Amino acid sequence: MEKDKEKSLEWVIPALITLLNERGKIDFRLLEKQIEYLSSAGVHGFFINGTTGEGPYLTRDEKIMVYKHVREATGDKQLLCAACINPSTDMTIEEIHAFEALEPDFFVAVTPYYYEVPQEVIENHYRRIASASPFHIIMYNIPQCTHNKIEFETILNLTSEHNIRGIKDSSGDFITFSRGHEDVFPEHFSWIQGEDFLDGASLILGAHGLVTGLGNIWIEPYVELYREAKRGNASKVNDNQNKINRLYEIIRVTDGKAIPSIKAAVSLLGRSEKWTRLQSYELSNEETAKVKDVLSDLELL
Amino acid sequence: MEKDKEKSLEWVIPALITLLNERGKIDFRLLEKQIEYLSSAGVHGFFINGTTGEGPYLTRDEKIMVYKHVREATGDKQLLCAACINPSTDMTIEEIHAFEALEPDFFVAVTPYYYEVPQEVIENHYRRIASASPFHIIMYNIPQCTHNKIEFETILNLTSEHNIRGIKDSSGDFITFSRGHEDVFPEHFSWIQGEDFLDGASLILGAHGLVTGLGNIWIEPYVELYREAKRGNASKVNDNQNKINRLYEIIRVTDGKAIPSIKAAVSLLGRSEKWTRLQSYELSNEETAKVKDVLSDLELL
Amino acid sequence: MEKDKEKSLEWVIPALITLLNERGKIDFRLLEKQIEYLSSAGVHGFFINGTTGEGPYLTRDEKIMVYKHVREATGDKQLLCAACINPSTDMTIEEIHAFEALEPDFFVAVTPYYYEVPQEVIENHYRRIASASPFHIIMYNIPQCTHNKIEFETILNLTSEHNIRGIKDSSGDFITFSRGHEDVFPEHFSWIQGEDFLDGASLILGAHGLVTGLGNIWIEPYVELYREAKRGNASKVNDNQNKINRLYEIIRVTDGKAIPSIKAAVSLLGRSEKWTRLQSYELSNEETAKVKDVLSDLELL
Amino acid sequence: MEKDKEKSLEWVIPALITLLNERGKIDFRLLEKQIEYLSSAGVHGFFINGTTGEGPYLTRDEKIMVYKHVREATGDKQLLCAACINPSTDMTIEEIHAFEALEPDFFVAVTPYYYEVPQEVIENHYRRIASASPFHIIMYNIPQCTHNKIEFETILNLTSEHNIRGIKDSSGDFITFSRGHEDVFPEHFSWIQGEDFLDGASLILGAHGLVTGLGNIWIEPYVELYREAKRGNASKVNDNQNKINRLYEIIRVTDGKAIPSIKAAVSLLGRSEKWTRLQSYELSNEETAKVKDVLSDLELL
């Protein structure tokens, strides 16, 4: 644990896509190619088996295999966050045990989902996870998927758990997020933006880092944005945020099919194939053409 | 399959709670007691491992054990619906294979969840499930949990799949549900109400049956309501609907904690214990007292 | 007031469209034609200056003129409901005073709108209106427009005001509406369905009447549905509800442009022109063609 | 018009509360006191008869009287925005004519409300207003009240109207708002934040100004925040945003009763009375005590 204590979650962390072949199986060769691209651009670590990584649709064995491959590919240099998207407290704790030998730097847990639950259940969920976990825990707020938002007061309460080390907020609710800069969080607690549109403003306000799914396509403006924010150069932060906003168009042009769009774009750049775990969730040729146009406009193709 | 073809989904089907002990393990003795209560009141079958049954939080082994016990307890007399609450198409099909030897009368599948998906993905999800399944499939529309509603047009399209035999609609959206009485469904297709407040109106309009979670507490008014609806006696349907509405108060008085409230009520009646799989999701003493008051008002205690 | 006391709100009440010419002015000749059509089909009264009547966009003078014309055209035979769509309590009371000499049978008031308000404000709003009004008051629940829903408990509380004589519920929330058949309302209180999809089920459950905007196009199935519901003939109620559901398609085919669709349809039948008060809110030629197809399928054209 | 052309909407603009006495009438003496407080703190202008000003519940005459008093009190030094909260295009244009002689620097119009309308109707609404108006028009996006959001693409389209000079965005949707820094707006177009939680981030990203209702209580941190943002001092911007966030607590502690809370607070500071136009919308003594606590914590009392 000594090692983990020194690492803190910050900087630019891509939410790695899970590369699949036509039969829906993981393509580890492509996975390495994608890791290589992101690492050489200067990312600080990887967020594995998350929402972008189709984690909820992967088996536990698959999640462990992906994790091991990424660790092998990155060595000990980079920070690895093992996301656990499981609907109940028990299932999450079971997965913690399954990852025990792998010693991820951070174990990232969503709220319960399927059932709508009150905040006290969310709070107890994280307390039980925290006390069961030998790893540092990151809370993952993504109410558009779990439909259980972690309220600001719940976050505050949970900072008292010593091994809850931060929150990744993908809610897109900047009002709640921005309350984090009120110096209310303890020093060991990281405050991570997970909605790409909000990266610039968040880092300027003092957020510790960003996790990005879109960055699988083009990670450079995220790395640049992070650096400029740390220098306090708002104008250059804006320039990079503009690039990210333009990249976001690949999701708008497909009416919100986020994962298929990201995979289509990375495919066009030669580092993925288009297949997703939800087999019928594909882009039409027309939609793929629109994604291509966005990449061309950005001179990525 | 011959046998199944003759059965159609109709009548009163309780969504069986999964009886747990303090350690969260299934209590099969209580399970039998509950089945005995419901069977002797005249229900037509059982809906197993559904939302009320905490299906999303049970392991596959647990779901199979519960199913086997219910089959054993009921013999071949009653219709068994095996609910499968799994987030992806593949996981659902995997569970169909796991249930293959058990030959449930109906296999009930929700839409994909966690991710928001367009209707075409929902349609393909059910088509792939239907073609993989040796059993009759029932669609389960519960957007308050899956956040992916099955639209009316999608239901209509899917009636062309011969072994999709009906829909259980727990959405509470009576406008969409009521469009089902337009004689648009084929004869082999059952149209089942899953929202207790809407049972009376639905059966009068011609719905084939109802699935109820609340009925675990007190099944008699549901059985009575069904019979009176089939006789066209609207006034007696209303009387029974009123009793159901009054029973529904146990959920209102706890601000919507449905499963803990149902379990608390069945416990007060001596056929359950209060424990749920989501361990921190309990009623306070005050809330339990309110549940008790509702039961007393109904002279169930 | 003696006269009013004997009238109760029930039966079929069309929510009259406000007939406009190309310059946006009221066309009283067409208004009479439309009243004539509806009256001869056997409606019980008229709902004037409501949501379908574009009430919120009419001036007070216009509302009074429309009211006077309808009264003149119908004599004293029919029940007239003067809808008042005004955002505040004071403005509503002011309008009551403006209508004083006209003695409408019922004065229909929405909740406050623009601001979101708690239920206690809604309750006080109606209490103040009730005590200021010489007429019987009907509450108008239309949260899709006012964004302030009248909760069931608030309705119950307000039944203690002797001159609040009913509620018109256009919310489409059948669960709340259906709680009204629990014999909880006093005898002088009318319970009126305002969502056409729900008419059949509501009347079978014991609702007193229906208000319909779509009925401007084709009122016969509503009148028939009402009669069959009173006879307890569920099958014929369903037949008429099916016709209404098919008529509803004119709104679906235009993606929810309700008023332009209704006006287009009545125009095609020769009793209106297409103009609305919100001048840029028109159907395209393509949309008008779709409306025409729906009418043709129903053999109205 | 020459004069207006040179003014651009920017800086700190309080959305003036409308001071009322117990009988609901405007108290001009208090109004002047409040203007004096805000002016001497260095605001750039006033936003009059807006949502905070209870504009939708004021008569046209009242709105004109308030406007005239503010103009008189401020002379020609300050920029005046006349808000017009009216539900239809015609009513808005009528109000423009009523304000014609008063020559406000900006006339601020909301979208149509009560009815839900598509974006094309919103676009035509503003085009018709723009061509009817001798003043510069500001669009006012407040979907929590109008329930018709102005989409980003609609804003972009409307920048082609030369006398539409900006947008005040009170939606709280920072994702859409932040797209404004993409250099897509013409130079004469102002981009104003109306949600206090988002002021700091918005101004750092390049927004032109802020309109604040909460600032009626304590305007100093807003003025300071604006200055520091223009200097690019993110840390001092954060300090002031923190003060604003703490001030925001007065609304949280009353469960969102924004106007009553603001008026209660300004009353405690001796520049208002507690009365609102929606008479039953008051704070309880308990709630007022909580508001007082927030002010005490901020050392304003």
Side-chain angles (χ1 to χ4, degrees):
Chain A
M1 284 298 297
E2 208 45 39
K3 177 193 59 163
D4 294 335
K5 270 181 197 153
E6 289 156 38
K7 285 193 188 171
S8 76
L9 187 59
E10 56 181 1
W11 205 268
V12 175
I13 315 280
L16 199 61
I17 48 174
T18 300
L19 288 306
L20 301 173
N21 63 26
E22 189 165 358
R23 283 160 302 117
K25 300 296 171 198
I26 299 169
D27 183 326
F28 291 103
R29 192 188 49 82
L30 281 176
L31 189 69
E32 284 161 31
K33 204 167 171 183
Q34 179 66 357
I35 294 169
E36 168 58 24
Y37 161 64
L38 295 165
S39 292
S40 56
V43 304
H44 195 56
F46 290 92
F47 190 88
I48 300 164
N49 302 324
T51 302
T52 303
E54 299 174 77
Y57 290 181
L58 300 176
T59 65
R60 184 160 298 155
D61 285 349
E62 287 175 322
K63 292 193 246 184
I64 287 175
M65 278 197 302
V66 170
Y67 181 88
K68 283 182 173 169
H69 260 81
V70 180
R71 178 54 86 203
E72 215 163 284
T74 59
D76 217 33
K77 292 172 301 186
Q78 280 166 308
L79 192 147
L80 298 200
C81 303
C84 166
I85 301 180
N86 269 316
S88 78
T89 315
D90 287 348
M91 287 165 167
T92 304
I93 290 173
E94 222 180 281
E95 196 147 310
I96 286 172
H97 296 323
F99 270 80
E100 200 149 349
L102 301 175
E103 295 186 18
D105 300 301
F106 295 97
F107 189 84
V108 186
V110 295
T111 65
Y113 57 97
Y114 190 78
Y115 297 103
E116 190 189 339
V117 294
Q119 290 296 306
E120 68 182 88
V121 170
I122 294 175
E123 192 173 324
N124 285 331
H125 169 77
Y126 281 113
R127 289 203 195 278
R128 289 186 53 223
I129 288 169
S131 76
S133 171
F135 326 121
H136 289 159
I137 296 294
I138 302 292
M139 298 185 277
Y140 186 176
N141 189 31
I142 186 161
Q144 62 271 48
C145 292
T146 62
H147 301 277
N148 282 310
K149 190 181 175 181
I150 314 175
E151 300 288 357
F152 190 69
E153 282 65 29
T154 306
I155 301 171
L156 277 186
N157 293 347
L158 286 165
T159 57
S160 68
E161 293 286 338
H162 191 68
N163 71 335
I164 295 185
R165 292 303 177 103
I167 183 158
K168 180 205 167 193
D169 188 357
S170 298
S171 69
D173 170 9
F174 192 67
I175 291 179
T176 300
F177 187 83
S178 69
R179 294 178 71 199
H181 69 71
E182 293 175 48
D183 302 330
V184 288
F185 294 141
E187 210 162 317
H188 67 265
F189 191 89
S190 289
W191 182 56
I192 303 293
Q193 183 53 263
E195 165 53 60
D196 299 55
F197 272 127
L198 301 176
D199 287 337
S202 302
L203 290 173
I204 287 175
L205 287 184
H208 299 87
L210 61 91
V211 170
T212 171
L214 266 181
N216 280 285
I217 306 168
W218 187 31
I219 198 67
E220 286 78 359
Y222 296 86
V223 174
E224 193 78 3
L225 182 150
Y226 181 87
R227 286 191 189 127
E228 296 299 342
K230 291 297 139 184
R231 284 179 198 141
N233 190 334
S235 151
K236 289 203 174 158
V237 167
N238 277 351
D239 290 346
N240 284 289
Q241 183 68 58
N242 287 352
K243 288 179 190 167
I244 293 169
N245 292 2
R246 288 172 64 196
L247 182 61
Y248 219 123
E249 287 300 305
I250 66 153
I251 296 176
R252 294 181 175 269
V253 295
T254 64
D255 280 327
K257 295 180 187 160
I259 298 171
S261 295
I262 293 172
K263 286 202 157 173
V266 184
S267 294
L268 287 166
L269 296 168
R271 301 189 306 267
S272 176
E273 291 193 59
K274 68 176 181 178
W275 314 104
T276 65
R277 186 47 67 95
L278 199 50
Q279 287 166 341
S280 43
Y281 201 13
E282 280 179 40
L283 300 193
S284 65
N285 290 340
E286 209 177 39
E287 289 170 325
T288 305
K290 287 182 189 170
V291 168
K292 202 170 173 179
D293 286 348
V294 174
L295 299 184
S296 298
D297 284 352
L298 288 166
E299 297 177 19
L300 297 175
L301 273 185
Chain B
M1 285 296 298
E2 209 46 38
K3 178 191 62 164
D4 294 337
K5 269 181 197 151
E6 288 156 38
K7 287 194 185 168
S8 75
L9 187 61
E10 56 180 2
W11 205 268
V12 175
I13 314 279
L16 199 62
I17 47 174
T18 300
L19 290 307
L20 300 173
N21 63 26
E22 189 167 357
R23 284 161 300 115
K25 299 296 171 197
I26 299 169
D27 183 325
F28 290 102
R29 191 189 50 80
L30 281 176
L31 188 68
E32 283 160 32
K33 205 167 171 183
Q34 180 65 358
I35 293 169
E36 168 58 25
Y37 161 63
L38 295 165
S39 291
S40 56
V43 303
H44 195 57
F46 290 92
F47 190 88
I48 301 164
N49 303 324
T51 302
T52 303
E54 300 174 78
Y57 290 180
L58 300 176
T59 65
R60 184 161 298 155
D61 284 351
E62 288 176 320
K63 292 192 246 185
I64 287 174
M65 278 196 301
V66 170
Y67 182 89
K68 283 182 173 169
H69 260 80
V70 181
R71 178 55 88 200
E72 215 164 282
T74 59
D76 215 33
K77 292 172 302 186
Q78 279 167 310
L79 191 148
L80 296 200
C81 303
C84 166
I85 301 181
N86 269 315
S88 77
T89 316
D90 286 349
M91 286 165 168
T92 304
I93 290 174
E94 222 180 280
E95 195 146 309
I96 286 173
H97 295 325
F99 270 80
E100 199 149 352
L102 302 175
E103 294 185 18
D105 300 302
F106 294 98
F107 189 85
V108 185
V110 295
T111 65
Y113 58 95
Y114 190 78
Y115 297 103
E116 189 189 340
V117 294
Q119 290 296 306
E120 67 181 270
V121 169
I122 294 175
E123 191 172 326
N124 285 331
H125 168 78
Y126 281 113
R127 289 202 195 281
R128 288 187 53 222
I129 288 169
S131 75
S133 170
F135 325 123
H136 289 159
I137 297 295
I138 301 293
M139 298 183 280
Y140 186 176
N141 189 30
I142 186 161
Q144 62 270 50
C145 292
T146 62
H147 300 277
N148 282 311
K149 189 181 177 183
I150 315 176
E151 300 287 355
F152 190 69
E153 282 66 29
T154 306
I155 302 170
L156 277 186
N157 292 347
L158 286 165
T159 58
S160 70
E161 293 286 338
H162 192 68
N163 73 333
I164 295 185
R165 291 304 177 102
I167 183 157
K168 179 204 169 194
D169 188 358
S170 298
S171 69
D173 170 10
F174 193 66
I175 292 179
T176 300
F177 187 82
S178 70
R179 295 179 71 200
H181 69 72
E182 293 175 49
D183 302 331
V184 287
F185 294 142
E187 211 163 312
H188 66 263
F189 191 89
S190 289
W191 180 55
I192 303 293
Q193 184 52 263
E195 165 52 60
D196 298 56
F197 273 126
L198 301 176
D199 287 338
S202 302
L203 290 173
I204 287 176
L205 287 185
H208 298 89
L210 61 90
V211 170
T212 171
L214 265 181
N216 279 285
I217 307 168
W218 188 32
I219 198 67
E220 285 79 359
Y222 296 86
V223 173
E224 194 78 2
L225 181 150
Y226 182 87
R227 285 188 189 129
E228 297 298 343
K230 290 297 139 183
R231 283 176 197 144
N233 190 333
S235 152
K236 289 204 174 157
V237 167
N238 277 349
D239 290 347
N240 284 288
Q241 183 68 59
N242 286 352
K243 289 180 189 165
I244 293 169
N245 292 1
R246 288 173 63 196
L247 182 61
Y248 219 124
E249 286 301 304
I250 65 153
I251 295 177
R252 293 181 176 270
V253 295
T254 64
D255 280 327
K257 294 181 187 159
I259 297 172
S261 296
I262 292 172
K263 285 202 157 172
V266 183
S267 294
L268 288 165
L269 296 167
R271 301 187 308 265
S272 176
E273 290 192 63
K274 68 176 183 176
W275 314 103
T276 65
R277 185 49 65 97
L278 197 52
Q279 286 166 343
S280 44
Y281 200 12
E282 280 180 41
L283 300 193
S284 65
N285 289 341
E286 208 178 41
E287 288 170 325
T288 305
K290 288 182 189 171
V291 167
K292 201 170 173 179
D293 287 347
V294 174
L295 299 184
S296 298
D297 285 352
L298 287 165
E299 297 178 18
L300 297 175
L301 273 186
Chain C
M1 283 295 300
E2 209 46 38
K3 179 192 60 163
D4 294 336
K5 270 184 194 147
E6 287 155 38
K7 285 193 186 170
S8 75
L9 188 59
E10 57 182 1
W11 205 266
V12 174
I13 315 279
L16 200 61
I17 48 174
T18 301
L19 289 305
L20 301 173
N21 63 24
E22 189 167 358
R23 283 161 301 116
K25 301 296 171 197
I26 299 169
D27 184 327
F28 291 102
R29 193 187 49 81
L30 280 176
L31 188 69
E32 284 160 31
K33 204 168 172 183
Q34 179 66 359
I35 293 169
E36 168 58 25
Y37 160 64
L38 295 165
S39 292
S40 57
V43 304
H44 195 55
F46 290 92
F47 191 87
I48 300 164
N49 302 324
T51 302
T52 303
E54 300 174 77
Y57 290 0
L58 300 176
T59 65
R60 185 160 298 156
D61 285 350
E62 287 176 322
K63 291 193 247 184
I64 288 174
M65 278 197 301
V66 170
Y67 181 89
K68 283 181 172 170
H69 260 81
V70 180
R71 178 55 87 203
E72 215 164 282
T74 59
D76 216 34
K77 292 171 304 186
Q78 281 168 309
L79 191 148
L80 297 200
C81 303
C84 167
I85 300 181
N86 269 317
S88 78
T89 315
D90 286 349
M91 287 165 168
T92 304
I93 290 173
E94 222 179 279
E95 196 146 308
I96 286 173
H97 296 323
F99 270 80
E100 199 148 351
L102 301 175
E103 295 186 16
D105 301 301
F106 295 97
F107 189 85
V108 186
V110 295
T111 65
Y113 57 96
Y114 190 79
Y115 298 103
E116 189 188 340
V117 295
Q119 290 296 305
E120 68 182 269
V121 170
I122 293 174
E123 192 172 324
N124 286 331
H125 168 77
Y126 282 113
R127 289 202 195 280
R128 290 186 53 225
I129 288 169
S131 75
S133 171
F135 325 122
H136 289 159
I137 297 294
I138 302 291
M139 299 184 277
Y140 186 176
N141 189 30
I142 185 162
Q144 62 271 48
C145 293
T146 62
H147 300 278
N148 282 311
K149 189 182 177 181
I150 314 176
E151 300 287 357
F152 190 70
E153 282 65 28
T154 306
I155 302 170
L156 277 186
N157 293 347
L158 287 165
T159 57
S160 69
E161 294 287 338
H162 192 68
N163 72 335
I164 295 185
R165 290 305 176 102
I167 183 159
K168 180 206 167 193
D169 188 357
S170 298
S171 69
D173 170 11
F174 193 69
I175 291 180
T176 300
F177 187 83
S178 69
R179 294 178 70 200
H181 69 72
E182 293 175 50
D183 301 329
V184 287
F185 295 141
E187 210 161 316
H188 66 264
F189 191 89
S190 289
W191 182 56
I192 303 292
Q193 184 52 263
E195 165 53 60
D196 299 56
F197 273 126
L198 301 176
D199 288 338
S202 302
L203 290 172
I204 286 176
L205 288 185
H208 299 88
L210 61 92
V211 170
T212 171
L214 265 183
N216 280 285
I217 307 167
W218 187 32
I219 198 68
E220 287 79 359
Y222 296 86
V223 174
E224 193 78 5
L225 181 152
Y226 182 87
R227 287 192 188 124
E228 296 298 344
K230 291 297 139 182
R231 284 179 196 141
N233 190 333
S235 150
K236 288 203 174 158
V237 167
N238 276 350
D239 290 347
N240 284 288
Q241 184 67 58
N242 286 352
K243 287 179 190 166
I244 292 168
N245 292 1
R246 288 173 62 197
L247 182 61
Y248 220 123
E249 287 301 304
I250 66 153
I251 295 176
R252 293 181 176 270
V253 295
T254 64
D255 279 327
K257 294 180 187 160
I259 298 172
S261 296
I262 292 172
K263 286 203 156 171
V266 184
S267 294
L268 288 165
L269 297 166
R271 301 189 307 266
S272 175
E273 291 193 60
K274 68 175 182 179
W275 314 105
T276 65
R277 187 48 67 95
L278 198 52
Q279 288 166 341
S280 44
Y281 200 13
E282 281 179 40
L283 300 193
S284 64
N285 290 340
E286 206 177 42
E287 288 170 326
T288 306
K290 286 182 191 171
V291 167
K292 201 170 174 180
D293 286 347
V294 174
L295 299 184
S296 297
D297 285 351
L298 288 165
E299 296 178 17
L300 298 174
L301 274 185
Chain D
M1 284 298 300
E2 208 47 39
K3 178 194 62 166
D4 294 336
K5 270 180 195 151
E6 288 156 39
K7 286 195 186 168
S8 74
L9 187 59
E10 56 179 3
W11 206 267
V12 174
I13 315 279
L16 200 62
I17 48 174
T18 300
L19 289 307
L20 301 173
N21 64 24
E22 188 164 2
R23 284 162 301 116
K25 300 295 172 200
I26 298 171
D27 184 325
F28 291 103
R29 191 189 50 81
L30 281 176
L31 188 70
E32 283 159 33
K33 203 168 173 183
Q34 180 66 1
I35 293 168
E36 168 57 25
Y37 161 63
L38 294 165
S39 291
S40 57
V43 304
H44 195 57
F46 290 92
F47 190 87
I48 301 163
N49 302 323
T51 302
T52 303
E54 299 174 78
Y57 290 180
L58 301 176
T59 65
R60 185 160 298 155
D61 284 349
E62 288 176 322
K63 291 192 246 184
I64 287 174
M65 279 197 302
V66 170
Y67 182 88
K68 282 181 174 169
H69 261 81
V70 180
R71 176 56 86 201
E72 218 164 281
T74 59
D76 217 34
K77 290 172 304 188
Q78 280 167 308
L79 191 148
L80 297 199
C81 304
C84 166
I85 301 181
N86 269 315
S88 78
T89 315
D90 286 349
M91 288 164 165
T92 304
I93 290 173
E94 224 180 278
E95 196 146 308
I96 286 173
H97 295 324
F99 270 79
E100 199 150 349
L102 302 175
E103 295 186 17
D105 301 302
F106 295 97
F107 190 85
V108 186
V110 296
T111 64
Y113 58 95
Y114 190 78
Y115 298 103
E116 189 189 340
V117 293
Q119 291 296 306
E120 68 183 89
V121 169
I122 294 174
E123 191 172 324
N124 285 330
H125 169 77
Y126 281 113
R127 289 201 194 279
R128 289 186 54 223
I129 288 169
S131 75
S133 171
F135 326 122
H136 289 160
I137 297 296
I138 302 292
M139 299 184 278
Y140 186 176
N141 190 30
I142 185 161
Q144 61 271 47
C145 293
T146 61
H147 299 278
N148 283 311
K149 189 181 177 184
I150 314 176
E151 300 288 354
F152 190 69
E153 282 66 27
T154 306
I155 302 171
L156 277 187
N157 292 346
L158 286 165
T159 57
S160 69
E161 294 286 339
H162 191 69
N163 73 334
I164 295 185
R165 291 304 177 104
I167 184 158
K168 180 205 167 194
D169 187 359
S170 298
S171 69
D173 170 10
F174 193 68
I175 292 180
T176 300
F177 187 82
S178 70
R179 294 178 70 200
H181 68 72
E182 294 175 48
D183 302 329
V184 287
F185 294 141
E187 210 161 315
H188 66 264
F189 191 90
S190 289
W191 181 56
I192 303 293
Q193 184 52 261
E195 165 54 58
D196 298 55
F197 272 128
L198 301 177
D199 288 338
S202 302
L203 289 173
I204 286 176
L205 288 185
H208 298 89
L210 61 91
V211 171
T212 171
L214 265 182
N216 279 284
I217 307 167
W218 187 31
I219 197 69
E220 285 79 357
Y222 296 86
V223 174
E224 193 78 3
L225 181 150
Y226 181 87
R227 286 191 190 126
E228 297 297 345
K230 291 296 139 183
R231 284 180 197 139
N233 190 333
S235 151
K236 288 203 173 157
V237 167
N238 276 351
D239 290 346
N240 284 288
Q241 183 67 57
N242 286 352
K243 289 179 188 165
I244 293 168
N245 292 1
R246 287 173 63 197
L247 182 60
Y248 220 123
E249 286 302 304
I250 66 155
I251 296 177
R252 294 182 174 269
V253 295
T254 64
D255 278 328
K257 294 180 186 159
I259 297 172
S261 296
I262 292 172
K263 286 201 158 172
V266 184
S267 295
L268 288 164
L269 297 168
R271 301 187 307 265
S272 177
E273 291 194 60
K274 68 175 182 178
W275 313 105
T276 64
R277 187 46 67 96
L278 197 52
Q279 287 165 341
S280 43
Y281 200 15
E282 280 178 40
L283 299 194
S284 65
N285 290 340
E286 207 178 41
E287 288 169 326
T288 305
K290 287 182 190 171
V291 167
K292 201 171 173 178
D293 287 347
V294 174
L295 298 184
S296 298
D297 285 351
L298 287 166
E299 296 176 20
L300 297 174
L301 275 184

